Every structure is written in structure tokens, then in C-alpha cells.
Amino acid sequence: MSHKRWIVADADKEKASMLSEKLNIDPFIAFLLVSRGIDDELSMSDFLSDSCAFTSPYSLKDMDKAVSRINKALDNCEKICIYGDYDCDGVTSTALLYTFFESMGADVTYFIPNRLIDGYGMNNNAIDEIKSRGTNLIITVDNGISAVDEAEYIYSLGMELIITDHHLVGDILPKACAVINPHRKENKLKFRDFAGVGVAFKLACALYDGDAGEMLEQYADLVALGTIGDVVALKSENRDFVKAGLELINNGSRIGIEALREAAGNADNELTAVDAAFQLCPRINAAGRMDTASKALELLICDDYEQAHFKAQQLNIENNHRHEVEKNIADDIAIAVSDNPELVEDRVIVIAGRNYHRGVIGISASHVVSLYGKPAVIIGIHDDGSCTGSARSVDGFNIFDAISSCSDLLTHFGGHPLAAGLGLSESDIHIFRQRINEYAAKMYPVMPEQVLKLDCKLSPFYLNTDLVDNLMQLEPYGAGNSQPIFGLFNVKLMSVTSIGDGKHIRFEVEKKGRSFKIVKFQTAQEDFSYKNGDMLDIAIKISKNYYKGRYYLSICAQDIRLNATDDDKYFREKSSFELFRLGDYAQDGIYPDRNVFALLYRFLKQSEGWQYGFDDLYFAMGQSITYAQLYFALETLCQAGLISRDGRKILLNKTEGKANLENTNIIKTLKGRLNIE
């Protein structure tokens, strides 16, 4: 994992105490809410309230036009097609409107594009197929706001169009009977950050012309899954959607979702928003990533248990296949980095491989970002020499702008600041890597610091299931209302064991006589750089597990570091190093003198080499030498033949006599740049 700056949230304790008394809530919960900006009586009361308050669907521009046109279609028995999307939001949106129109007796069909064949959004081939079904009216969900040309084509074929979407609105609206989008300026909305399924739900409410609460009793489960899956902010109405939806899901309201819970192994436990995000939504998404999203849609609209069970198992198989493909790509990336470590020294990591599955490369890019703390572009090279790439970024680095700077090399591209997609030719990969890194060096001479926000420091004596129960008042968790992260500081590492077929670890720590066990997922024991006796700071999330009639506290590590790590020193030295490599000459703490070499070589001998990352080595040495000195000292020892590298591993070489470090190219170059005699 890349190193992050830890920031412990601050809060006005007096205000939190006052609000705790006024609202009769737990003081710790009040403190957490104040630290998250929910710091007045009204907003805190609204946040904790179980009542739902929904704006009128007619607050959305063109809702009246959409209702009028759809009612006309219903009266005239016109054929309606719901045009969806292949992700969880698009699938649940399609399921919602399809089942709603069926309940109204409409002649309704659906179309969900295939990610691998059709790509995202509307396309003319799909429109031709929909026309061949005798369709009169197309209603989009979770797409369509940018389909300007496709809308014209729809009308040229004699069909009409209604758009419901939640993506940002461009300069030109597509031709349509109605364009319903919460981001239109004409809307009378305070809250606009709906998922596509939230917009579809608003349309259904307007057509129903009844109380939104009654509609939630029928469709809140679908709205919740789509809202969670699209990672929109769980605030305002979204929070109420998810609350109501989880209640339905836990009461077994829909056969397809119940079957999916069973397939995920969570049929008996009460499902939380976090469970839905990690267990249900990925299985719905897997259908669209690996095959066709219609499989997921068929499950959600299924009303036969045996069929639903079969379809849920199909999604399970697709999800397992997705995991397998992810692992294969991750292994291939690891080999590429081992063979060419310079790849991950770039500001923007660009890695290409043969036949990387285009439905998974976005996830793979996210893993690389998490591992190295840098923007990443993962490119799949197809047999015909064409390539499909997916990019993910870090906060503060606009990957869309970076990719746009290379637009002349690309066959297509699109996205937003944190994620983007692109196409190019195999022959242009090298120049694309060079160009995007030139852009990054120019626009981001110092890369943005990555941050981990902690809600508060926590004494281990407060860690128990009662605390977990109190924290449930903050549910549901998601974007804009993340699960609390607590900091345990200065705890002693006692032991480490491997679990989950070696994929994860469980380690025991102790402080002031109390010991407890913590799980760290996606970390193999051989990749864990800490040893027994080390004093650690650990960022954790807590929950509880039910086992043999009892609830047990579960603690999961989000980040681990040596106690007293100096973030300011690390980021200052890393920035200085980055600027020096870009040509800044006036930098202290760059040149590795004899003391630096002695410290480093002695440490490597005592450790019998090093098998972890560069940052791990920097911190394991107690930040005793600067970031740049460590980098150049390692390069010097390599050139002098004292050490060698196998991927990220550092091996000590057997040598005879003294090595002449002064005679290495890197030391000569450094002396020249720094004017050292």
C-alpha cells in the first residue's frame, strides 16, 4: 500500500456535548457527527431521523412532459423499450421501470447494451434492433444525456425518446420529449446527487401520482442497490432510499435479491450497506463485466424461486470468473513491474498486456493505484493490434485532463477527473506513456499527497461490541458517510499468522495489558514488513460477527505504520526528490555521503537483504536518511555490485575487496549536478 498522510478529524467538543444533551444521543456519536460537519441541531436531527422526506418528482424539469407522453403511450398501447446500462445502477434502474410498467399493463421490453460489443450508452445498431421490435417510445435509464446524434437517429426512424440520466449535462441536450436529469440548471432541487436509479424512481413516482412512501414499499430495494453500487453520496434522499431498501432486503421482499443473498452466503445475517456494496453489487456488476448484464436483470425481475436460485448461481460463477481474471492480470502486472521497475517510478503508471479483459481492466487499474498511490492506466492489447485502456487516479490529479493532452494518439476517450477510458493502437503505447508522463511532470511537478482521514484516536479499552452497536446510528455507510476509521496508536506487535489460504493475515497487538487480534485483508504474510516487538499505529474499522450464539468484535486494519512516523518529513523529502529529478538543482538532503552508505549497508546486512517496498525500507530505517539519499544510495550499491534486485527484493552480493562507490556513474552524475568536488 502506498503511504498516506494520516489526518485525525477535529471537532468542537463543547458543541458536541451540547447537541448530545439537547437531542439525547450518545456523546461519542455527537462528537463523530460534529467532526463530519453535521454540527447543528437541525442537520443532526435530520441525519438521525428515521422519517423520510422526499421532494416532488415534478421538481425535476420536464417531468410533466415525460408523464404526459408515457400516459399517451399507455392509453394507445404503444410498445415501450427501457434502454438501460450494464452496471449495477443501470441494471437496477431497468428492473425498476420494467417491473413498474408491467404492473401498469404496459407493452414494455428492455435493452441493455453489451459492454464488449456495444460499449457504453446508445448506439445505432441497438436502436435498429429496438425499432425492429415495433417500438414507439424509448426511455433511457442511467444514460442518454450525451446521445445527441443517436437521438436524431431515433426520430429519423419514427420513434420518440425520453431521457432519464444522472450524468453531467453537456452544452447540447439531445432531442427528446423530455430530458430528466437532476443536474439541469432549471430543476428546483436542493439535492442533485442521485444515482440513475434514483431518477428512474422519481419518474415512477410521478406516473403513480401517489405517496413516495408507498412506492418505496415496492421498489426501495432496487433503488438502494443501484444507489450503493454507483457510489453516489449517501446524503439527503439517497440516505433514505438506502435505509428503506435495506429494510426491504432484510425482510426478503424480492425473490431475485433473496437468491443473490443466498449465493453470496449472507442469507441469515442482517445485511448492511457495506455488505451490499461488497457482496451483492459486485455480483450484479460481474454479469455486465464478464458476459451480459441481462443475466443480472433477469434475476432481479424473476418471480420463480428455483429459476432465481439458478440465475443467482450464474452470477456467482461470473463473479468467481471475474476474480480469476483479475488475479491473472494482477500476476501479469507484477511480472511486468519485476522485469521493468521503472514502470512504477513514472508519475503515471502505464502497463499494457495481451488480451486483458476489457471488463476488468478498470478494477485492475484501481488495484495499481491503491498499491503505488499514483494514477494508473492499464491497457489491454487485442489480437488485431487495437487497444482498450482504463485509467484510475488519485485525489488531486485529473486523469481525464492528462489523457486529453494525448488525444491525437487516441481513437476514443472519455471520463472524469478520477476515472477514464480510452482506445489506441499498440504501436502508440510507448509514445502515450511518454506523453502522459511529460504532461504530469509539467502540470504536477509535485504529485498530490494522499490522505487517510481518521475519525478519532481510540483507546483499546473502548473496543467492544457495545461501541459497534452505538455506531449503528450512523448507518447506512457509503460515499459521503464513510464507515468510521479509528486510530490505535503505539501498540506492540505480538504475533502474525496467515489466514484465507495465505491471502490475508491476522495479527495480535498489545497495549497496557490488553491484547486483541486484527485482520488485514489482501496482505500475505511474506508481504508484511513488520516484526514482533515493533510499536505500531493502526487505522481500523470495527464490526461484529455472529458465531455459535454470540457476537464477537471484528477489527479490520485499513493502514499500518510504525509508531511516530513523521508524515511531514516523508512528504517534504519525497517532494524535494521529485523536483530534483525534474531539474531543480538547489536541494539539500540529496547526496548520499559515507555515513548514508554505512547506515544503509549495515541495515541491509542485519536484515539479510530486503523483500518489501522502498517506502517500507525508508520507514524501517527510522527515516534516518532522506528519501532521495536512500534512492540514490540503493542505485549506487547496485552499480557497484554490492547488491542486486529481483523485482522489489534487494539481495546482498558476495564480493571480494572494497567497492569503489565514487567510481559509479550515478555518483559522478550527482557530483556534477550538485557541484561536489
Side-chain angles (χ1 to χ4, degrees):
M1 293 287 288
S2 62
H3 185 76
K4 297 179 176 65
R5 180 186 291 278
W6 285 16
I7 297 178
V8 181
D10 195 13
D12 185 330
K13 294 180 181 179
E14 290 186 8
K15 181 181 286 187
S17 177
M18 178 269 292
L19 289 169
S20 168
E21 290 182 15
K22 273 194 171 184
L23 298 174
N24 192 28
I25 60 175
D26 183 274
F28 186 57
I29 298 300
F31 173 83
L32 292 178
L33 289 173
V34 169
S35 74
R36 293 178 176 212
I38 303 171
D39 57 1
D40 62 73
E41 190 172 347
L42 179 60
S43 61
M44 192 173 290
S45 179
D46 285 346
F47 183 89
L48 296 172
S49 173
D50 289 329
S51 62
C52 302
F54 298 102
T55 55
S56 166
Y58 290 97
S59 300
L60 288 153
K61 178 69 174 176
D62 281 1
M63 185 63 78
D64 55 341
K65 296 177 182 178
V67 169
S68 176
R69 179 63 185 91
I70 293 169
N71 281 331
K72 177 185 173 184
L74 294 174
D75 291 341
N76 296 333
C77 298
E78 296 179 56
K79 185 178 284 292
I80 300 170
C81 179
I82 311 301
Y83 195 114
D85 187 29
Y86 43 67
D87 67 1
C88 185
D89 187 16
V91 170
T92 52
S93 301
T94 307
L96 190 157
L97 281 192
Y98 178 79
T99 53
F100 174 74
F101 280 116
E102 267 205 328
S103 72
M104 297 180 73
D107 183 1
V108 61
T109 62
Y110 60 81
F111 181 90
I112 296 183
N114 185 299
R115 181 193 293 262
L116 305 183
I117 298 171
D118 302 306
Y120 171 76
M122 308 194 85
N123 67 84
N124 288 355
N125 289 335
I127 293 167
D128 287 338
E129 180 183 331
I130 292 168
K131 173 64 177 178
S132 71
R133 300 176 185 175
T135 302
N136 304 101
L137 177 64
I138 297 175
I139 304 174
T140 73
V141 288
D142 192 31
N143 75 97
I145 196 63
S146 60
V148 175
D149 294 338
E150 292 80 2
E152 292 290 346
Y153 187 63
I154 286 169
Y155 277 84
S156 75
L157 296 178
M159 294 184 288
E160 291 188 293
L161 175 67
I162 291 173
I163 293 171
T164 76
D165 199 353
H166 71 121
H167 296 98
L168 294 180
V169 179
D171 295 332
I172 302 173
L173 289 180
K175 181 178 181 180
C177 301
V179 178
I180 302 171
N181 187 308
H183 295 291
R184 290 187 66 178
K185 294 178 181 178
E186 303 93 330
N187 295 321
K188 297 176 181 178
L189 295 171
K190 290 183 179 179
F191 180 78
R192 297 172 181 262
D193 198 11
F194 295 102
V197 72
V199 182
F201 177 73
K202 290 288 186 181
L203 174 60
C205 287
L207 288 163
Y208 177 70
D209 198 24
D211 180 64
E214 295 179 39
M215 291 293 284
L216 283 175
E217 292 174 7
Q218 297 295 318
Y219 301 108
D221 48 359
L222 295 173
V223 183
L225 286 180
T227 299
I228 292 168
D230 214 54
V231 202
V232 292
L234 290 196
K235 298 178 178 179
S236 187
E237 294 183 49
N238 286 345
R239 180 173 169 80
D240 293 329
F241 287 153
V242 173
K243 276 186 177 181
L246 290 174
E247 186 175 347
L248 279 189
I249 291 170
N250 285 315
N251 288 330
S253 60
R254 195 174 301 270
I255 289 173
I257 295 177
E258 190 66 12
L260 191 60
R261 287 185 67 186
E262 289 180 15
N266 198 348
D268 298 326
N269 299 322
E270 185 164 322
L271 193 89
T272 66
V274 174
D275 296 329
F278 284 96
Q279 296 174 23
L280 302 189
C281 296
R283 285 170 166 80
I284 294 172
N285 277 324
R289 290 186 184 281
M290 309 309 298
D291 190 5
T292 170
S294 295
K295 287 184 176 181
L297 178 62
E298 289 166 7
L299 171 65
L300 294 179
I301 63 178
C302 183
D303 56 8
D304 178 270
Y305 175 77
E306 290 201 5
Q307 285 187 26
H309 181 75
F310 172 74
K311 293 178 187 298
Q313 290 302 325
Q314 282 187 308
L315 295 197
N316 231 20
I317 292 169
E318 296 290 5
N319 196 47
N320 291 336
H321 182 209
R322 189 258 303 174
H323 279 298
E324 182 182 340
V325 171
E326 272 183 52
K327 184 181 183 305
N328 291 339
I329 295 177
D331 291 344
D332 198 69
I333 289 172
I335 292 170
V337 171
S338 178
D339 292 342
N340 187 7
E342 290 79 12
L343 286 172
V344 295
E345 292 180 9
D346 285 342
R347 272 174 160 62
V348 179
I349 298 170
V350 179
I351 297 176
R354 291 277 166 195
N355 295 312
Y356 285 177
H357 196 294
R358 70 183 69 185
V360 176
I361 53 175
I363 300 174
S364 300
S366 294
H367 290 329
V368 173
V369 171
S370 177
L371 191 60
Y372 296 103
K374 298 179 178 182
V377 184
I378 304 301
I379 299 171
I381 305 170
H382 311 306
D383 291 336
D384 63 358
S386 66
C387 301
T388 302
S390 190
R392 297 293 183 271
S393 194
V394 296
D395 288 335
F397 186 103
N398 190 318
I399 193 66
F400 178 75
D401 286 350
I403 288 171
S404 299
S405 73
C406 308
S407 60
D408 57 304
L409 300 173
L410 307 178
T411 57
H412 65 272
F413 69 98
H416 53 78
L418 289 177
L422 57 104
L424 74 167
S425 297
E426 181 180 2
S427 58
D428 288 329
I429 292 174
H430 176 73
I431 187 67
F432 171 75
R433 180 185 291 114
Q434 180 182 325
R435 288 264 302 276
I436 198 169
N437 274 287
E438 287 172 352
Y439 171 89
K442 179 181 178 182
M443 302 304 296
Y444 299 88
V446 174
M447 292 293 281
E449 294 180 6
Q450 297 311 293
V451 169
L452 179 67
K453 295 181 180 179
L454 277 61
D455 285 85
C456 68
K457 296 181 179 181
L458 195 65
S459 166
F461 295 99
Y462 289 99
L463 283 172
N464 52 49
T465 55
D466 289 340
L467 176 58
V468 178
D469 291 338
N470 274 343
L471 292 173
M472 288 181 68
Q473 296 175 71
L474 303 179
E475 292 269 12
Y477 299 130
N481 182 45
S482 58
Q483 186 176 357
I485 299 177
F486 303 114
L488 297 179
F489 287 78
N490 202 27
V491 297
K492 185 176 182 180
L493 179 63
M494 306 301 291
S495 64
V496 185
T497 56
S498 181
I499 60 173
D501 297 326
K503 297 177 183 177
H504 321 294
I505 56 170
R506 178 184 291 115
F507 58 97
E508 185 172 7
V509 295
E510 183 269 338
K511 183 174 183 179
K512 294 182 179 179
R514 183 175 179 196
S515 63
F516 39 94
K517 294 180 179 179
I518 302 175
V519 171
K520 181 73 170 70
F521 292 113
Q522 304 303 321
T523 301
Q525 190 166 356
E526 59 267 24
D527 295 327
F528 190 67
S529 62
Y530 306 105
K531 60 185 184 300
N532 291 351
D534 281 347
M535 303 304 295
L536 304 177
D537 297 339
I538 309 171
I540 63 167
K541 290 181 179 179
I542 61 173
S543 57
K544 61 182 184 179
N545 290 332
Y546 187 75
Y547 181 69
K548 291 186 176 180
R550 282 187 59 193
Y551 282 104
Y552 293 88
L553 180 69
S554 175
I555 309 174
C556 180
Q558 305 302 298
D559 199 8
I560 307 170
R561 55 172 56 188
L562 290 168
N563 178 244
T565 290
D566 189 338
D567 283 339
D568 288 337
K569 186 175 189 294
Y570 169 83
F571 284 108
R572 183 174 62 251
E573 292 176 357
K574 188 176 181 183
S575 298
S576 176
F577 171 69
E578 289 175 352
L579 290 170
F580 181 78
R581 294 186 78 185
L582 288 177
D584 189 331
Y585 290 85
Q587 294 290 339
D588 295 324
I590 297 293
Y591 186 76
D593 59 21
R594 290 179 179 274
N595 289 333
V596 168
F597 285 115
L599 280 170
L600 175 58
Y601 195 69
R602 188 182 307 121
F603 182 89
L604 292 175
K605 285 192 72 173
Q606 290 172 349
S607 304
E608 298 180 345
W610 191 252
Q611 66 182 49
Y612 312 108
F614 179 90
D615 281 0
D616 294 309
L617 177 58
Y618 170 82
F619 289 114
M621 294 187 65
Q623 299 179 271
S624 57
I625 58 180
T626 71
Y627 192 94
Q629 287 170 341
L630 178 59
Y631 177 87
F632 290 122
L634 285 173
E635 291 298 309
T636 302
L637 293 177
C638 275
Q639 288 186 12
L642 293 173
I643 64 173
S644 57
R645 284 175 169 163
D646 179 9
R648 69 177 186 177
K649 290 184 180 179
I650 298 173
L651 308 174
L652 294 172
N653 296 334
K654 292 182 179 180
T655 58
E656 295 182 4
K658 287 189 175 182
N660 188 348
L661 302 180
E662 299 288 326
N663 204 35
T664 58
N665 288 332
I666 193 164
I667 289 297
K668 290 179 181 178
T669 302
L670 279 175
K671 281 187 171 182
R673 281 195 61 186
L674 297 169
N675 295 317
I676 296 174
E677 295 295 332

